[in-house]
Amino acid sequence: MSEIKKSGSADVTPILEIRGLQKSFGELSVLKDISLSVDPGNVLSIIGPSGSGKSTLLRCASFLETANGGDILYDGKYAFKDGEYAGKAELNQFRTLFGMVFQNFNLFPHYSVMKNICEPPVLRGQDKEKVRARAEELLKKMGLEGKEDAYPYQLSGGQQQRVAIARALALEPEILYFDEPTSALDPELTGEVLKVIRQLADDHMTMVVVTHEMAFARAVSNRVIFMDGGFIIEEGHPEEVFGNPQQERTRRFLSNYTQ
């Protein structure tokens, strides 16, 4: 599939661009004409009620679900266009551009922390010694020194999620997806994980974060999208969306949260 040129802001090609994305499960339409873009170094937060299509959007962007229509582009190149995916080799190349952090950690229980982090890049053919050195750096960054030989069951939920973030970063992706990364954690452990994501934002890591943490989304995002019923209802700078929402549905949703 051919490369495109971005219109609008000169010399900036979004890492991710989605146009008119549609996804249905049988007769249930979950995503209806979703369009968005994420520029390098930016953080996009996606908020909205349960069942609004947020997680499905991430799963389509990461090819875990098959979209039914629209376009998905990475670095200006089509991965999915008008209902057709790029070839297998191209899709495998696109998969190297993103990492995914799930709400339930998805660590391998029979692998140590170090093996959980190192296995994916090693399987992609990266040098084992270099991968291990990067893993050690990431564990230090995550505040997990000394946990290299521990197994997931020996860690708190917050520690497991930080291992999952390190595992995603070990692949050196251009963009990280977070699917409600704190929803399985209690408030204290939630703070541990949000602190790590804030640091990544400070380091200009490109991220898309599906979250129910409104104060966090307001603090770290460059843009915020509010979804409901498979549509983007409102989009803008976080101070606009949270401080002066234009849509009544957005106002009603945010009224349930203490700002």
Side-chain angles (χ1 to χ4, degrees):
M1 294 186 179
S2 61
E3 186 171 346
I4 63 148
K5 290 187 177 180
K6 161 103 171 139
S7 60
S9 55
D11 302 324
V12 177
T13 299
I15 288 181
L16 172 70
E17 189 169 6
I18 288 174
R19 302 172 182 166
L21 193 68
Q22 301 168 38
K23 171 62 182 175
S24 298
F25 295 98
E27 295 185 359
L28 177 63
S29 181
V30 179
L31 298 178
K32 307 166 185 175
D33 195 25
I34 298 293
S35 297
L36 59 86
S37 65
V38 186
D39 287 339
N42 283 1
V43 179
L44 171 69
S45 288
I46 304 176
I47 62 172
S50 297
S52 59
K54 306 183 302 296
S55 294
T56 300
L57 173 56
L58 281 195
R59 292 179 65 83
C60 286
S62 57
F63 315 138
L64 294 173
E65 295 285 359
T66 302
N68 300 123
D71 303 334
I72 302 172
L73 301 93
Y74 282 96
D75 290 338
K77 298 177 182 177
Y78 285 101
F80 178 70
K81 178 175 171 59
D82 298 332
E84 179 184 350
Y85 282 91
K88 184 177 179 180
E90 289 178 277
L91 282 181
N92 285 336
Q93 186 61 38
F94 285 125
R95 286 187 177 98
T96 68
L97 302 180
F98 56 78
M100 186 84 165
V101 178
F102 301 90
Q103 56 184 328
N104 292 319
F105 324 135
N106 285 20
L107 299 176
F108 292 109
H110 56 295
Y111 284 179
S112 68
V113 165
M114 183 57 76
K115 189 168 184 180
N116 261 289
I117 296 171
C118 292
E119 191 78 352
V122 168
L123 288 175
R124 288 186 179 176
Q126 296 185 28
D127 180 79
K128 288 183 178 180
E129 291 186 7
K130 290 182 179 178
V131 168
R132 185 177 179 89
R134 175 157 174 76
E136 289 173 351
E137 291 177 7
L138 288 168
L139 285 172
K140 184 176 181 181
K141 187 172 185 175
M142 299 294 144
L144 292 169
E145 303 104 314
K147 299 293 186 182
E148 292 85 353
D149 298 324
Y151 286 81
Y153 78 91
Q154 297 173 309
L155 304 176
S156 70
Q159 289 172 326
Q160 289 185 61
Q161 192 61 294
R162 283 181 279 154
V163 172
I165 294 171
R167 179 179 61 182
L169 288 169
L171 292 167
E172 300 183 282
E174 290 189 12
I175 184 170
L176 267 186
Y177 296 131
F178 291 86
D179 187 7
E180 298 188 17
T182 61
S183 64
L185 304 175
D186 65 35
E188 183 175 7
L189 299 180
T190 291
E192 294 178 6
V193 173
L194 295 182
K195 181 179 179 181
V196 168
I197 302 175
R198 283 174 185 265
Q199 182 59 56
L200 292 174
D202 290 342
D203 293 341
H204 305 293
M205 181 73 207
T206 310
M207 295 183 283
V208 179
V209 186
V210 169
T211 183
H212 288 294
E213 301 290 337
M214 298 299 124
F216 167 79
R218 185 171 188 167
V220 306
S221 306
N222 298 94
R223 294 190 70 75
V224 174
I225 281 174
F226 171 64
M227 287 183 65
D228 190 26
F231 291 102
I232 293 176
I233 305 298
E234 190 153 352
E235 177 180 3
H237 188 276
E239 291 307 314
E240 297 170 352
V241 174
F242 289 104
N244 187 30
Q246 300 301 300
Q247 302 300 320
E248 174 60 25
R249 181 66 186 95
T250 315
R251 289 193 288 270
R252 281 191 284 116
F253 175 78
L254 292 174
S255 71
N256 295 314
Y257 294 89
T258 301
Q259 296 298 309

